[in-house]
Amino acid sequence: MAQIIDGKRIAKEIKDKLKEEVSVLKERGTKICLAVIQVGQDAASSVYVNNKKKACAYIGIDSVSYELKEATTEAELVELIEKLNHTEKVHGILVQLPLPAHIDEDRIIRTISPDKDVDGFHPVNVGRLWLGETGFVSCTPAGIIQLLKYSGIEIAGKECVVIGRSNIVGKPMAALLLRENGTVTVAHSRTADLKEVTRRADILIAAVGQTKMITAEYIKEGAVVIDVGMHRDAQNHLCGDVDFEDVYSRASAITPVPGGVGPMTIAMLMNNCVQAARD
Ligand code: GUN
């Protein structure tokens, strides 16, 4: 039987520690402020943005919300970000993705000052991560490292397999596992024999984007399985990239969906906001 890794509990523990630090910073005269920008009204994005604002309120960070209309031009968005880059009381800037198709996401990410880039998406922060320098780290992979650490799971020397090579999860995940001295393989949609690769994993990170694709056949007995996916199944229940019921008896530890990786992403965003104010 696998240990179920309780992301909700670990995220709360982290947020409570941050809350204390935020109140100390406040006493010293630093009031942390996160600017949250959403363009258009994508329903999923609105849920994520609201959860981020709620977490800010919980730990005592001010959030300023910019809800821009779908037709906002790239130039208008660039202008707003540049203004916020120069606003001293704003410590972090978050532009919720995806952006409407007429806006160049890469340009927007590069417009955010690397020192306010609490998502860790700017190429300067990505470079810092790969070089082992201090910077902002993408929240989901940073949260997964914390899940493993809080659960007492050793990374050094382990075979770590990441399925997925996105800029937000797969690539920074690989960099972080490497930084923790794991032996890292990144598998993806063009990997020739995926099961052969994933069955080598002591720690498997599934960020495939396909509902319940990872069944017990993909898992080595006793592996730690981390599920980054978030989908709705045929019964409209939330589920992940991993077929939890099938994998549960083969793994030594597994994250549930919901309540695994998701809450950690927000806790790490809060951590990055506090880091932005500390520096
Ligand atoms: N859209 C989906 N995930 C994220 C995230 O972590 N940050 C931002 N800004 N947008 C997202």
Side-chain angles (χ1 to χ4, degrees):
M1 279 225 300
Q3 168 196 355
I4 295 179
I5 300 175
D6 186 349
K8 209 169 160 186
R9 181 186 60 76
I10 298 169
K12 173 142 191 331
E13 206 174 307
I14 292 172
K15 283 189 290 184
D16 285 342
K17 272 191 213 156
L18 290 168
K19 191 173 180 170
E20 279 175 30
E21 188 176 350
V22 168
S23 92
V24 171
L25 284 166
K26 213 174 268 178
E27 277 166 24
R28 293 189 189 145
T30 303
K31 214 161 169 348
I32 309 178
C33 178
L34 172 68
V36 180
I37 304 172
Q38 185 181 354
V39 185
Q41 290 176 337
D42 177 71
S45 288
S46 299
V47 172
Y48 291 134
V49 163
N50 273 332
N51 287 339
K52 290 170 186 181
K53 289 194 282 198
K54 267 193 232 161
C56 283
Y58 179 75
I59 76 160
I61 292 178
D62 283 342
S63 58
V64 208
S65 224
Y66 294 86
E67 285 159 25
L68 309 181
K69 55 186 193 306
E70 178 86 17
T72 302
T73 65
E74 189 175 303
E76 285 166 336
L77 184 54
V78 164
E79 193 184 337
L80 171 61
I81 293 168
E82 282 174 348
K83 189 187 87 186
L84 295 168
N85 281 343
H86 293 102
T87 304
E88 213 171 310
K89 75 171 188 58
V90 169
H91 298 87
I93 303 170
L94 183 145
V95 179
Q96 187 63 28
L97 305 177
L99 289 167
H102 65 275
I103 297 177
D104 177 352
E105 244 168 48
D106 285 341
R107 178 170 177 220
I108 296 306
I109 288 169
R110 282 162 208 261
T111 302
I112 299 170
S113 161
D115 298 325
K116 297 192 179 187
D117 168 39
V118 286
D119 262 323
F121 295 165
H122 193 289
V124 166
N125 283 315
V126 176
R128 285 172 177 157
L129 169 61
W130 282 100
L131 294 171
E133 295 174 5
T134 305
F136 293 112
V137 178
S138 183
C139 301
T140 298
I144 290 170
I145 295 291
Q146 291 308 313
L147 277 183
L148 296 171
K149 289 193 169 174
Y150 273 74
S151 305
I153 295 161
E154 178 83 27
I155 302 169
K158 296 287 177 60
E159 288 285 344
C160 306
V161 175
V162 181
I163 325 175
R165 55 177 158 179
S166 70
N167 291 339
I168 293 183
V169 181
K171 287 178 196 165
M173 189 75 252
L176 285 173
L177 290 165
L178 191 57
R179 190 193 261 190
E180 298 293 331
N181 300 308
T183 302
V184 183
T185 303
V186 181
H188 45 79
S189 55
R190 302 285 291 272
T191 295
D193 186 349
L194 183 60
K195 280 183 199 162
E196 187 274 320
V197 176
T198 59
R199 275 202 220 112
R200 287 187 229 144
D202 300 311
I203 299 174
L204 180 67
I205 316 282
V208 218
Q210 292 203 42
T211 307
K212 295 189 182 180
M213 182 189 135
I214 305 303
T215 53
E217 295 179 290
Y218 288 80
I219 308 294
K220 175 164 99 177
E221 183 80 44
V224 173
V225 180
I226 306 291
D227 191 348
V228 182
M230 177 65 86
H231 316 281
R232 294 227 173 238
D233 66 13
Q235 288 77 42
N236 206 32
H237 294 143
L238 285 172
C239 65
D241 290 345
V242 175
D243 186 334
F244 185 92
E245 280 73 29
D246 199 40
V247 168
Y248 176 71
S249 53
R250 217 171 148 71
S252 63
I254 185 167
T255 58
V257 177
V261 172
M264 294 300 290
T265 299
I266 295 195
M268 290 300 105
L269 175 67
M270 297 300 103
N271 183 62
N272 283 351
C273 292
V274 176
Q275 183 182 322
R278 259 190 229 126
D279 299 341

